[in-house]
């Protein structure tokens, strides 16, 4: 009997077409396929002749232990999920169960995570290009995470102008979290901020609602929905949601003409070095570190770190 | 002559095996394939008989306009990139160029974004399961983004305990940004925080450095590197980097026993409702809103929002 193997497979948004070749090959190689019943259904026609173990939503740790038991019996197991199995997925709990059971990488049972297209990428592709700049992913599920931790993250993401992807925004029982998220975001961001509410991306029941932050919580939102909230530069045009990458800071238009003082391929004058020079100039004009910190909306220790190094790296 | 079409294709980390079926079909259908020369090389064997247009790093807007011109001539164009073309990718600038040129969705030239596995998913899969909880993606390139904006985002991500993925961490010219990022993160996170530095994921020259936050900036880091930084719960064991999903808050162990007062499938007592009850209990014990806000590390307006609604939604 050979060594067993565990594939942790993310097959992308809607199975089949958006699955990677590697994901498909892993499922084909498996003797046993384990997954939440909805996921099993999405890849049904790849499962002929295999042992298939369907699990419910709350049986997550069972899926891990069962995968391990089959692999110990020398079988090849594919534990599957839609999207990317590493993003809020079963890759984490499976590794935890394995390590607690005394399993070690490289000795006996091999484990391979096969990444896939996660929901935020899939939803973004359907609505335009909202993820062209820095983004955060936040799960609104407070089943395993204390609410103040979630609230702090929404607050931070809103304040620092990240594009925000909300996973698990709402369920039958959890209806207030999306309202709270909206309220926190509205303290920092315009009510007109573009929002895309995408359900079942690339599946039969796909539905897309393009809306604004002020109306977000009024949309139809459920367990299979991902919500994308723009940053302060994101715009909506002709039904497309687009976050500019920042060209407007540098180029007059999109024709490639550089603005006075900016050089193509070089850091902005507001880049790290330019910023340090700017802070030093303000200090020498007599501005206080507190004033400068407020101007740039950064903690005063950031200004002090430049003062401390003054002369050291000019 | 039929209408042209533009496919914006993300082919995942290392071409071929991790590409989706849809991405491959789009490239196969294309008359013209446009991309940065490194990307073209990765899919070379799919390009026979096609017009191939290679572009350099700074010719990004040329790629968009050229795609549009070919599509206007009735051709099918695939503009390709590794990873997900929507994540810091060409999907955004292409839509911007098209809209500025008077193009409209649904009239004439069709545009389709084909999502792929982005670098943070690919790198995570290679090092364990670091993305099992909320994460941020931040680009350290200050070519188009002012440094104070980037610094504010690192600060926010560090303070709110997000797992952090750094794209474009360093280049030949930009060497100080990763040092600054490390310094800001160290103000909030332990020097022992696990860090994975992954170069050329799933390509021939793949290299992985598992390290700690205190040593992060000393690693070999370049243009093809993505850096993943754990949150305060992330641990490193047997060379794997794992972020727990939060089971420890709720379950005694991973065996599925619920702790006293917690119910499987229900929100934590520290979930939204439990948190509101907790805040109200503290208020009635005479704690001030400021004290409570400090305790939960949230703005005092969050405590006030509960006070204002007291009685309204109990």
């Amino acid at each position: 009997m050979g060594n067993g193997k565990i594939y942790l497979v993310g097959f992308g948004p809607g199975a089949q077409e958006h699955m990677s070749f590697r994901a498909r090959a892993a499922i084909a190689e498996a003797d046993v396929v384990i997954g939440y019943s909805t996921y099993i259904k999405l890849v049904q026609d790849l499962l002929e002749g295999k042992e298939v173990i369907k699990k419910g939503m709350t049986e997550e740790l069972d899926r891990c232990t069962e995968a391990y038991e089959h692999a110990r019996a020398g079988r090849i197991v594919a534990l599957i999920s839609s999207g990317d199995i590493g993003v809020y997925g079963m890759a984490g709990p499976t590794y935890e169960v394995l390590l607690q059971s005394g399993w070690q990488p490289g000795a006996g049972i091999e484990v391979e995570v096969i990444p896939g297209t996660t929901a935020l990428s899939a939803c973004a592709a359907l609505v335009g290009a909202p993820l062209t700049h820095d983004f955060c992913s936040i799960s609104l599920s407070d089943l395993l995470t204390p609410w103040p931790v979630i609230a702090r993250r929404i607050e931070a993401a809103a304040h620092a102008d990240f594009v925000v992807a909300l996973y698990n925004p709402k369920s039958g029982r959890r209806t207030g979290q999306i309202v709270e998220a909206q309220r926190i975001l509205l303290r920092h961001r315009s009510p007109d901020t573009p929002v895309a509410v995408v359900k079942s991306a690339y599946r039969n029941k796909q539905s897309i609602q393009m809306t604004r932050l002020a109306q977000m919580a009024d949309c139809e939102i459920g367990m299979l929905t991902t919500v994308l909230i723009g940053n302060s530069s994101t715009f909506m045009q002709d039904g497309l949601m687009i976050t500019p990458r920042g060209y407007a800071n540098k180029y007059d238009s999109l024709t490639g003409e550089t603005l006075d003082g900016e050089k193509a391929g070089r850091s902005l004058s507001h880049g790290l070095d330019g910023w340090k020079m700017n802070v030093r100039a303000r200090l020498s004009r007599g501005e206080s570190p507190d004033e400068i910190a407020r101007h740039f909306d950064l903690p005063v220790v950031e200004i002090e770190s430049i003062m401390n190094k003054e002369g050291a790296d000019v």
Side-chain angles (χ1 to χ4, degrees), chain A:
Chain A
M1 191 185 75
N3 281 329
K5 180 161 182 174
I6 300 174
Y7 288 115
L8 298 163
V9 182
F11 59 71
Q16 306 298 335
E17 207 180 26
H18 289 275
M19 180 184 289
S20 72
F21 286 82
R22 183 85 191 103
R24 189 172 175 137
I27 294 174
E29 194 189 331
D31 306 307
V32 185
V33 176
I34 305 178
Y36 174 43
S37 43
T38 307
Y39 304 152
I40 293 287
K41 228 177 282 170
L42 285 165
V43 296
Q44 195 61 56
D45 56 331
L46 305 177
L47 304 182
E48 215 189 293
K50 298 178 190 303
E51 182 175 352
V52 175
I53 301 172
K54 295 183 200 177
K55 293 284 181 183
M57 278 278 282
T58 53
E59 302 168 297
E60 297 204 323
L61 297 175
D62 292 349
R63 284 184 243 171
C64 308
T65 47
E66 222 163 316
Y68 188 44
E69 279 161 23
H70 282 287
R72 290 218 294 190
R75 307 177 81 188
I76 295 174
V77 182
L79 206 164
I80 64 168
S81 85
S82 68
D84 179 32
I85 199 160
V87 174
Y88 302 111
M90 294 298 295
T94 304
Y95 272 128
E96 286 193 80
V97 165
L98 290 172
L99 289 168
Q100 287 194 13
S101 311
W103 168 85
Q104 286 193 312
I109 295 164
E110 195 187 334
V111 177
E112 180 180 335
V113 181
I114 298 171
T117 299
T118 184
L120 61 84
S121 284
C123 296
L126 289 169
V127 301
L131 302 178
T132 317
H133 219 297
D134 301 332
F135 58 92
C136 286
S137 175
I138 302 174
S139 167
L140 292 192
S141 170
D142 55 5
L143 292 178
L144 299 164
T145 307
W147 178 256
V149 173
I150 302 171
R152 199 178 307 143
R153 287 178 181 162
I154 301 167
E155 170 76 26
H159 169 249
D161 204 27
F162 282 98
V163 176
V164 178
L166 299 178
Y167 281 66
N168 309 309
K170 199 173 177 178
S171 74
R173 283 207 190 92
R174 287 186 306 100
T175 57
Q177 285 76 1
I178 186 76
V179 179
E180 292 292 307
Q182 180 188 43
R183 191 178 51 71
I184 297 171
L185 284 155
L186 280 171
R187 283 203 279 105
H188 299 274
R189 226 163 274 185
S190 158
D192 288 336
T193 304
V195 170
V197 176
V198 182
K199 193 188 141 200
S200 298
Y202 294 103
R203 298 183 196 169
N204 287 337
K205 294 185 179 167
Q206 173 182 306
S207 99
I208 299 172
Q209 300 164 81
M210 304 301 284
T211 184
R212 304 283 175 174
L213 184 53
Q215 283 80 46
M216 177 176 79
D218 308 327
C219 290
E220 202 186 307
I221 297 178
M223 286 288 282
L224 301 172
T225 307
T226 304
V227 179
L228 299 174
I229 301 147
N231 70 16
S232 63
S233 306
T234 305
F235 62 92
M236 195 107 81
Q237 187 177 337
D238 294 322
L240 294 166
M241 177 175 172
I242 293 163
T243 303
R245 193 149 51 160
Y247 287 97
N249 286 325
K250 190 161 185 173
Y251 297 106
D252 244 347
S253 67
L254 288 168
T255 58
E257 296 292 313
T258 51
L259 288 177
D260 277 3
E262 305 290 356
K263 231 173 165 176
R266 295 289 181 120
S267 291
L268 277 180
S269 54
H270 278 272
L272 179 58
D273 293 337
W275 179 70
K276 285 183 180 172
M277 276 162 47
N278 190 322
V279 169
R280 289 192 189 110
R282 285 168 184 271
L283 288 165
S284 69
R285 282 205 302 269
E287 286 184 41
S288 77
D290 278 332
E291 284 171 320
I292 302 171
R294 263 198 306 280
H295 176 79
F296 287 111
D297 193 11
L298 284 170
V300 70
V301 294
E302 288 301 307
I303 309 304
E304 288 162 355
S305 84
I306 293 175
M307 296 169 71
N308 296 339
K309 276 201 238 161
E310 201 164 1
D313 63 353
V314 181

